[in-house]
Amino acid sequence: FAKEQNDPELWSDLMVYSRDKPEFIVGLLELGGTLTNPTKLIRSVPPGLAVPDIRRALTNVLYDYHLQVELCTDCKHVLDADCELLSEGLRMVQHQGMSVEEEHVCLVCQDSLVGSAALAFWCGHVFHDRCVLHPDVLLKTMLRSASELALGRRSNRLVQGSIEQRRMLTLGKLDRTMLIRQYHPVCPVCAEYDQKKMAQMHTGWSSAERKDHCEEPVKWQGKKYEVEVDTTQPGEMFKMQLYSLTGVEPDRQKILVKGGQLKDDTSMSALGLVNGQILMMMGTAGELPKAPQQPVKFMEDMTEDEMAQALSIPAGLTNLGNTCYMNATLQCLKAVPELKQALDSLAGSMGQSDPRNNLAASMRQLYDQLSASSDGVPPLVFLQFLRQVFPKFGAQDRQHGGFMQQDAEECWNELLTTLDHALKKGDSSVVEQYMSGTMVTTLSTEEAPEEKATVREQMFRKLDCIID
């Protein structure tokens, strides 16, 4: 039924109805793959829905599409060959000679063409040269040295004369033809036909259509714009036409019409416009849209790293042998934007005398690598400085070999202590400001309420939550 009706909305309704029914999905792909959009159908399938025989159905769709491409390619080759053959035939016909008999007359003056110079165009129309060329052009194209030959007068003496005389006749005609072509003469019959066709294109409306259209000049900032108004449309469409001409956005336009200003929902037919009625518009043109400073780059042209950066896909850290505790701690710290800003403003680079500053600088470099990559990043340099500052994280397992497992909480505390020292500015640091708190403890006794309570403050960087 959908094929018989050939209605896009009907196909869309059928696709919506079938998106959670596996057998319907396969049926649409097999029967309507060339009539519907298979990509749209596949994307509408809910995630996790099992569709049996989906591979076979998609294979058939791709096979049908491949056949269509091959058919279109072969048809194009046939059409190209036919066009080339017909174009060559047309060229040969147009370059053939044209016989002018006694019954042929000039299409302008209706006099006989025999015995006088004539011009023949590729369209097949023939005229006297004096009826087509301007007198000045006609005078300039006369060859005085071979005037009789150039005029093309037929006489038994020339036609039946010597080879040299016939050669002079041909050369004279060719020379004069080359001179005339420099002035680009136009066939009067074809020019008149083209003018009528253009006039019909501009005035080809029916009587009902002429009633719905009128030409209105619009004045704005001393300039006048001729606008073709469709009275069946609302004022919003008329404003969009003016926007394309003047650059004044529709919201800024104030068009003065009979009864006040033109509104977006006003029907143009209710204004009683007539051809030639001048309309006034006030408003300031906004700045024209500028081209983007950087060229637009599509996802298909991006590398994996560029796509990850554009889509903000976080990169991972490579496990270098029981370093999951360190990787998890680094990923948590990376989620703090204030810490990243503080690291970016850190002065100096790796290679300083204080190993704690080297550890902070290596963390900054590692975060920059994570932001610019989509693949896993091995934290080799950071791990080296971490074990240099805290040798306990470099302890090895003597029984099984390799490095021992460590505690992520302990790594967290040590890193915050190091960053608090390296990123301190004045009396505070980013760790103290955003990643620390103060615990206030008040001790008092109910047995001696007159005694003053003891208040104690203690800074903390972790808040334990004990769950029984």
Side-chain angles (χ1 to χ4, degrees):
F1 178 73
K3 288 183 178 180
E4 293 176 357
Q5 299 300 319
N6 195 20
D7 186 359
E9 294 184 0
L10 187 59
W11 281 108
S12 300
D13 295 339
L14 185 57
M15 291 172 61
V16 172
Y17 176 77
S18 307
R19 60 186 178 184
D20 58 347
K21 300 175 179 60
E23 63 277 7
F24 279 56
I25 296 174
V26 175
L28 275 177
L29 290 176
E30 290 181 345
L31 302 179
T34 57
L35 302 174
T36 60
N37 188 348
T39 304
K40 184 178 179 181
L41 178 61
I42 294 301
R43 289 179 176 175
S44 64
V45 176
L49 179 65
V51 182
D53 298 331
I54 185 67
R55 178 176 297 179
R56 176 176 54 82
L58 290 176
T59 302
N60 294 337
V61 171
L62 294 177
Y63 180 73
D64 293 341
Y65 176 75
H66 182 66
L67 288 180
Q68 289 184 2
V69 172
E70 288 187 347
L71 181 61
C72 292
T73 304
D74 294 341
C75 291
K76 182 179 181 301
H77 291 163
V78 174
L79 290 176
D80 290 344
D82 291 344
C83 290
E84 184 178 356
L85 181 63
L86 293 175
S87 299
E88 180 64 20
L90 177 62
R91 188 190 66 83
M92 294 179 62
V93 171
Q94 289 179 337
H95 283 75
Q96 289 179 354
M98 183 179 298
S99 175
V100 180
E101 306 296 338
E102 294 183 357
E103 61 271 13
H104 289 165
V105 296
C106 175
L107 297 178
V108 174
C109 64
Q110 301 300 321
D111 291 340
S112 176
L113 293 170
V114 179
S116 59
L119 292 180
F121 293 87
W122 277 0
C123 55
H125 300 137
V126 186
F127 309 88
H128 291 129
D129 57 356
R130 62 178 181 272
C131 295
V132 176
L133 301 178
H134 191 272
D136 295 338
V137 177
L138 187 63
L139 182 62
K140 293 178 181 179
T141 55
M142 289 296 183
L143 297 179
R144 297 182 180 274
S145 59
S147 57
E148 291 185 356
L149 303 179
L151 291 176
R153 294 172 179 171
R154 295 186 177 186
S155 63
N156 294 332
R157 180 177 60 84
L158 290 177
V159 175
Q160 300 177 2
S162 62
I163 297 178
E164 182 65 22
Q165 289 176 336
R166 290 197 296 270
R167 188 179 69 84
M168 288 294 297
L169 172 64
T170 304
L171 290 177
K173 290 182 177 180
L174 293 177
D175 291 341
R176 187 161 186 263
T177 301
M178 296 300 296
L179 286 176
I180 293 175
R181 283 183 177 178
Q182 297 178 3
Y183 297 95
H184 305 287
V186 180
C187 173
V189 176
C190 296
E192 182 180 1
Y193 172 77
D194 293 339
Q195 291 179 357
K196 290 182 179 179
K197 189 174 181 180
M198 291 297 295
Q200 185 179 4
M201 291 175 59
H202 289 287
T203 61
W205 295 327
S206 63
S207 58
E209 291 174 330
R210 291 193 185 96
K211 293 180 181 179
D212 297 335
H213 294 78
C214 57
E215 296 285 342
E216 302 296 339
V218 179
K219 294 188 67 175
W220 174 71
Q221 293 187 353
K223 298 180 181 179
K224 186 181 293 186
Y225 300 89
E226 296 292 338
V227 183
E228 180 184 312
V229 182
D230 187 354
T231 56
T232 61
Q233 299 293 334
E236 184 179 7
M237 295 300 298
F238 181 61
K239 289 184 177 182
M240 292 301 297
Q241 289 180 273
L242 295 178
Y243 173 58
S244 63
L245 294 174
T246 62
V248 181
E249 297 182 2
D251 296 339
R252 298 182 179 181
Q253 295 178 12
K254 293 183 180 179
I255 304 173
L256 304 181
V257 295
K258 186 177 180 180
Q261 296 184 12
L262 179 64
K263 298 181 180 180
D264 293 345
D265 56 352
T266 301
S267 177
M268 299 299 293
S269 59
L271 301 178
L273 299 177
V274 295
N275 285 324
Q277 180 180 348
I278 299 178
L279 301 178
M280 299 292 297
M281 185 185 76
M282 295 183 295
T284 305
E287 185 179 0
L288 296 177
K290 296 182 179 179
Q293 296 181 355
Q294 297 181 353
V296 178
K297 198 168 188 178
F298 297 95
M299 295 182 61
E300 293 80 2
D301 303 328
M302 293 183 179
T303 61
E304 292 185 359
D305 294 342
E306 292 175 341
M307 187 179 300
Q309 188 173 3
L311 299 178
S312 300
I313 300 176
L317 291 169
T318 305
N319 194 328
L320 301 178
N322 287 336
T323 59
C324 53
Y325 69 95
M326 180 191 69
N327 294 350
T329 304
L330 288 173
Q331 293 286 17
C332 289
L333 292 174
K334 185 176 181 294
V336 182
E338 292 80 7
L339 177 61
K340 182 66 169 61
Q341 296 174 3
L343 288 173
D344 292 338
S345 61
L346 178 64
S349 58
M350 294 176 290
Q352 305 179 37
S353 57
D354 192 344
R356 291 176 293 184
N357 292 338
N358 293 334
L359 183 62
S362 64
M363 180 183 290
R364 176 186 60 191
Q365 181 186 30
L366 179 60
Y367 284 164
D368 291 340
Q369 293 175 357
L370 288 173
S371 301
S373 175
S374 62
D375 300 328
V377 178
L380 293 172
V381 179
F382 179 82
L383 180 60
Q384 179 181 357
F385 282 113
L386 178 67
R387 290 171 176 170
Q388 180 181 355
V389 178
F390 305 105
K392 58 184 177 182
F393 293 120
Q396 294 187 353
D397 190 349
R398 297 179 180 179
Q399 183 178 359
H400 301 90
F403 292 97
M404 298 179 60
Q405 296 183 0
Q406 302 293 337
D407 185 28
E409 181 184 3
E410 188 175 0
C411 181
W412 173 276
N413 294 330
E414 298 293 359
L415 285 180
L416 288 186
T417 303
T418 302
L419 293 174
D420 183 41
H421 169 78
L423 303 178
K424 185 177 291 291
K425 292 183 179 180
D427 297 334
S428 64
S429 68
V430 65
V431 175
E432 182 179 349
Q433 184 177 1
Y434 296 101
M435 308 179 70
S436 301
T438 302
M439 178 73 71
V440 180
T441 306
T442 303
L443 300 178
S444 61
T445 176
E446 296 179 354
E447 298 177 353
E450 67 279 0
E451 292 184 6
K452 186 178 180 181
T454 303
V455 180
R456 183 174 57 187
E457 295 184 359
Q458 185 179 4
M459 181 178 293
F460 67 92
R461 292 193 180 127
K462 66 175 181 177
L463 188 61
D464 294 330
C465 181
I466 301 176
I467 303 176
D468 292 337

